[in-house]
Structure formats: structure tokens, C-alpha cells
Amino acid sequence: MSSNNVYLIASSMVRVGRYFSKSYKDLVVDVVNELFSSVGSIDIDYLIISNVFSDSILEQLDISTILTQELGLTPKPALRVETGESSGLTAITQGYSLIKSGIADTVLVVGVEKCSEFPTPTMNKHFIKFSDYEVESIYGLSVVNEAALLMKIYMRRYGYSREDLSSWSVKMHSNALKNPYAQLRFLISKEQVVRSQVISDPIRLLDMYPVGDGASAVLLSSKEGIVNNEALEVVDIAQATSQPLNLREDLLSLPATKIVFNKLLSRSKLDLNDLVIEVHDSFSILGYLILEELGLVEKGKAPSIIDDLDNVNLSGGLKARGHPIGATGVYQVAEVFKIMTTGLGDIKRDSCWGLIHSMSAVDNNSVGILVRRCSC
Amino acid sequence: MRLSIPRFWRKRFDYYSVRISECLDCGRKFYPRRSICPYCRSRNVKVVTSRGVGEVLTYTVSYYRLEGYEEVIPKVIALIKLVEGPVLIGELVDVDISEVREGLKVEAVLRRLKSEDPAGLIYYGIKFRPIVG
Ligand SMILES: [Zn+2]
């Protein structure tokens, strides 16, 4: 018996932002209503929720059941997935697995996060939990500090100035201008990056993701033709974990991400310049390191090619689309779906292949998925 | 941050000194202390108390505002290589930011991490300060 193929048949999102007048339930209801109104009435077999801070911020456990009730989807089975910042993409791999194994035919994956319910220092207290609490977070160490250490090592090893490493943020803001769902839709200059508030030197405010709420949804199915729009096939998924930064041989390597890319790219001769690529650029230094690990550019050269890149983070990435933690991976996939089918606003590509990458902290738990346009 | 008293107490030796592990099979030493070697998965691992002395590989001056950790801003966070070999990330204290540099020799010192509230438990742990002289 051959296992089922898995298709991505629809997606929906709200613009990432600060929704003071909407609850997490409101955001989820909005995206699910929009999704179903785009595909007509489809029966789902499973609801998967990606959410990280339900118990930290919302005082809620078993959030998938609460949302199933809210959506009127009972008695459908539901579950919540959490792997830190990569939760959204992990949720999609779990939906993929349910369909691949024949347990489900149609799976609704929803990512949701409310990050603006509390002031930023309170949110930061939760953001530091992505690292080992007993070893790092208790000391008040955060991922931004790790990224800052990496950025200094990178600048030293390859001889870059602080300003040289501003190209990523400038590009992401430029891309986000065309993405109707992006949180930061304005242009910035290298000078603005270099002059923005210091968060953890050399990382400045404009080197990192903004805090925002978000909800997004994708529909996975074993059948490609049950809706009118074009579908994408989820061809392969990969996931890997790695030891914390201080236990790595080379601090500038991303060992889990490397495993993920090797698996996804080994299956066929893919032209990296012809892929629609979304990567986890929570900090601009990580954007550079990911592209180098991907092999799109040799090590130490990423900052110099960013201006000319026209197939990476067309959404604006975490830097400018935003990073509603548990929802982010679902956004990435929802956006690539639109870019390769109906268009994300005016952003549209004819590429046959798409590659989406997500990770938690600095490559602690990394996930990738490879999609192909069905008509290719 | 709020850690239960038993949860903190049972790890007191890890918070009140720098403890590392040495793998008796592959010979690697690592931080944090663990009972399984992250390099070869051997369980033939012994705990070693580090001298707590090392040098700064690189550092960052952090203005990141974290609820419960706002008494001292900015903080100097450093990647520190212990003389025994393992690398860890720790906070530097008793140092003028302008004097921090790569290669700075540092030693472990017990400091307050934070107090969860005025009447609550005070947590202590290891930070690092320059070795004088
Ligand atoms: Zn070993």
C-alpha cells in the first residue's frame, strides 16, 4: 500500500499586529471563517493548534479543545503542538504525518499567538523560556544575547562592520511593503538600523523581530482537487534538534538546520535560485547564517548578496512580517501557498518548488518542509 | 521567574558553584553537568567542580528588559571558556563596561540572581568578575 500524498489546498491569515480589541479566539475565528469561505464547506478530520504561550499568557491548557468548541468543530479530534518558536512548522509536519499515515484525510492547522496582552518586559520573561530554564533562563540569559554573541563572532571572523550587517533588515522591510499581512510595512535605511535602540550590542531594535499578535491557518488534504484553486504538494518534511550554543564545535554553524536542509535538498536537484524560500530570521544574523547553511551562498558571504536576493522571505520574514511565535511557521507556509498560487497581495512567483524553514532559539529545534506546485 | 523552593534547593550545588561533567569514555568535559555525555551518550560520566576560572571569548552589553531582572541594566553577558575546557554563557559583574575585552580573565563569584518579590525567596547563583592583579 502506498502512503497518501499530502496537499496544501488553502490558507488564510490576519495581518500581524497588536490587536487590543480582539482575543485569541476572535483571531482564530476570523482566519478559520476566511479559510472556509474560500474553499466551501469541507469536512475536516483533525484540528491541530500551534500555540506556545497558552498557559503562560492565556491561563489556558488544552487550548485545542477550547478552540474546537469555539469554532463549532466538536466532536472533531484536536491537539496542540509546541516546540518553541518552530511550533507552527512542527504543527504542519504533524498534520502531514496524520494524512501520510492514513489516520486523517483533511487536517486544519491553525497557529495563534497573543503577544501584546502584557508589556514587553513581561513578554520577554516568557520569551527567555526557549532556552533551558534551569541552566540559562534562570540567570536572565535570553536568545537575543546568544544572537548578539554570534553576531560579534561573525563580524570578527569575516571582517564586517556593524553597518554591513544591516542589509538584511533593509531588505526585509522592503519585501514586507508588498505583503498585506506584514506587521511592519515601511522602508528603513541602513542608517536607521545602526542608529536604532541597542538591545544587546551589536543587536539593535531593527535587527530583531517586532512583538505582535497573529493567527493563520492552512488546510492539508490527501486530495489535490477538492477545491478550485491550485494546490501545492507537501513533498517532504524534516526536523532535527541540537545541543545548546555553548556545546557546539563551531558557534557559527546551525547543526539541526543543516540536517534539515540536507534531507530536503537531497531528493532532487533543486536550483536554490528558483525556489521560493522562507527562513526563520528572528535576528538578522540568523538570517545570514541560515542562508549560508542552506548553501545559497558560501560561509561569510551572505551579507553581500542580500540586496540582490529576490526569492528569500518575500513576506518580509520574521523581521518585518512579524513573529507571532506559535503562529509564525503557519504564516510562512500560508504565505508561500499564496505566493505560488493566487498571489500574496501582488507577490507571485511561478517557481515549481518552495522551501520553508523554522527554528526555535538559535537552532535548538529546527524544521523544514518542501512543497511543489501540483502542475509542475 | 519563580522557581519552587525544592526545585532550586535540589540544584543548589549547581547554582552555588560551577559544576561540569567529564566523560570517562570520550574524555570530553562539558557544561552544564549532565549524567549522559552529549558527545557520545556514555553514562560513564563524573561530576567535577570547576575552579570557576576562565577567560572571556566574546561578550555583549545587554539592555534587554526582562521582568524580574531589571535591577541592573545594562548587563554584560559573556561567552566564557573555563580553564578546564568547557564553554558557558554567564554574566560579568564588578566591571566597568569600558574595561571588558576578549581575553579578560574572570572568576566565579556568588551573587544574587533576583528576588521574586520583597517578601519572597532570594535566589543566588554564579556570576563572573575580573581577576584582579
Ligand atoms: Zn563522551
Side-chain angles (χ1 to χ4, degrees), chain A residues 122 133 138 199-201, chain B residues 1 60 63 65 67 69 102:
Chain A
T122 307
Y133 198 88
I138 190 172
I199 304 297
S200 185
D201 177 62
Chain B
M1 181 202 62
T60 173
Y63 295 81
R65 291 178 67 85
E67 189 179 284
Y69 293 86
E102 291 169 11

Side-chain angles (χ1 to χ4, degrees), chain A residues 68-143:
Chain A
T68 311
Q69 295 165 347
E70 190 75 15
L71 291 163
L73 286 171
T74 51
K76 301 300 180 189
L79 60 89
R80 167 197 174 204
V81 169
E82 192 270 302
T83 61
E85 294 177 271
S86 58
S87 298
L89 220 47
T90 303
I92 288 167
T93 69
Q94 293 307 296
Y96 172 94
S97 303
L98 287 173
I99 293 172
K100 203 78 182 164
S101 64
I103 290 173
D105 276 323
T106 307
V107 177
L108 175 61
V109 181
V110 177
V112 62
E113 206 75 68
K114 262 301 214 172
C115 296
S116 66
E117 303 284 33
F118 292 102
T120 300
T122 307
M123 278 313 301
N124 291 348
K125 180 180 70 174
H126 300 302
F127 289 153
I128 65 169
K129 295 175 183 172
F130 297 132
S131 306
D132 187 334
Y133 198 88
E134 294 184 342
V135 177
E136 290 187 35
S137 320
I138 190 172
Y139 287 101
L141 303 175
S142 119
V143 180

Side-chain angles (χ1 to χ4, degrees), chain B residues 23-28 36-45:
Chain B
C23 176
L24 299 176
D25 282 333
C26 77
R28 302 286 296 263
I36 299 174
C37 174
Y39 299 103
C40 73
R41 298 209 70 244
S42 165
R43 285 176 289 173
N44 191 13
V45 163

Side-chain angles (χ1 to χ4, degrees), chain A residues 148-367:
Chain A
L149 295 170
L150 291 187
M151 189 163 166
K152 275 189 105 162
I153 295 170
Y154 190 89
M155 288 164 66
R156 163 73 60 91
R157 187 180 295 180
Y158 300 114
Y160 284 110
S161 70
R162 172 49 270 218
E163 187 170 323
D164 291 335
L165 298 195
S166 304
S167 54
W168 184 276
S169 300
V170 171
K171 181 72 174 187
M172 291 304 118
H173 276 250
S174 162
N175 287 352
L177 210 54
K178 301 188 208 85
N179 177 1
Y181 302 101
Q183 182 173 3
L184 305 182
R185 297 177 63 192
F186 53 87
L187 295 174
I188 57 169
S189 66
K190 283 190 173 187
E191 292 69 37
Q192 281 173 291
V193 177
V194 172
R195 290 200 195 118
S196 62
Q197 182 191 345
V198 178
I199 304 297
S200 185
D201 177 62
I203 289 182
R204 289 171 180 260
L205 186 66
L206 289 176
D207 289 303
M208 65 180 289
Y209 64 89
V211 174
D213 306 327
S216 50
V218 300
L219 199 54
L220 299 172
S221 171
S222 60
K223 297 173 202 68
E224 119 185 49
I226 56 172
V227 291
N228 280 331
N229 22 335
E230 200 177 352
L232 302 180
E233 183 185 352
V234 182
V235 176
D236 202 1
I237 60 172
Q239 185 158 16
T241 54
S242 67
Q243 291 288 348
L245 207 56
N246 60 304
L247 286 172
R248 294 179 197 165
E249 299 290 341
D250 179 4
L251 290 163
L252 295 185
S253 72
L254 304 172
T257 287
K258 187 187 182 78
I259 291 167
V260 165
F261 285 152
N262 282 348
K263 176 175 186 242
L264 296 182
L265 299 177
S266 66
R267 57 180 303 111
S268 38
K269 262 273 178 251
L270 296 172
D271 178 1
L272 289 175
N273 293 306
D274 193 39
L275 287 171
V276 173
I277 298 171
E278 285 285 327
V279 301
H280 186 95
D281 58 325
S282 45
F283 302 96
S284 50
I285 178 63
L286 299 182
Y288 300 127
L289 293 176
I290 293 163
L291 294 193
E292 292 176 6
E293 211 65 85
L294 178 61
L296 191 69
V297 56
E298 65 182 278
K299 298 230 171 186
K301 295 275 171 63
S304 61
I305 64 158
I306 302 305
D307 292 347
D308 300 323
L309 273 186
D310 68 349
N311 65 327
V312 174
N313 286 9
L314 297 170
S315 65
L318 277 63
K319 172 66 206 78
R321 170 237 294 112
H323 182 24
I325 312 293
T328 300
V330 185
Y331 270 90
Q332 291 174 304
V333 174
E335 288 160 343
V336 168
F337 175 79
K338 289 191 187 296
I339 289 169
M340 293 177 67
T341 58
T342 55
L344 178 69
D346 292 333
I347 312 170
K348 207 168 183 308
R349 287 291 188 280
D350 296 328
S351 309
C352 283
W353 295 87
L355 177 69
I356 301 110
H357 162 272
S358 181
M359 66 188 190
S360 192
V362 180
D363 199 37
N364 276 0
N365 189 330
S366 298
V367 193

Side-chain angles (χ1 to χ4, degrees), chain B residues 71-131:
Chain B
E71 269 178 304
V72 181
I73 290 180
K75 294 183 198 306
V76 182
I77 310 286
L79 194 64
I80 295 164
K81 188 175 174 66
L82 298 170
V83 289
E84 293 89 354
V87 171
L88 56 78
I89 301 174
E91 184 181 341
L92 301 191
V93 292
D94 299 348
V95 65
D96 196 273
I97 288 174
S98 64
E99 289 165 5
V100 184
R101 55 182 170 78
E102 291 169 11
L104 185 70
K105 300 277 189 285
V106 294
E107 63 185 359
V109 58
L110 192 67
R111 283 299 158 90
R112 189 168 69 158
L113 296 183
K114 70 148 275 177
S115 168
E116 63 187 20
D117 61 63
L121 188 68
I122 298 172
Y123 300 93
Y124 289 89
I126 293 296
K127 298 185 181 182
F128 293 83
R129 69 180 175 196
I131 296 175

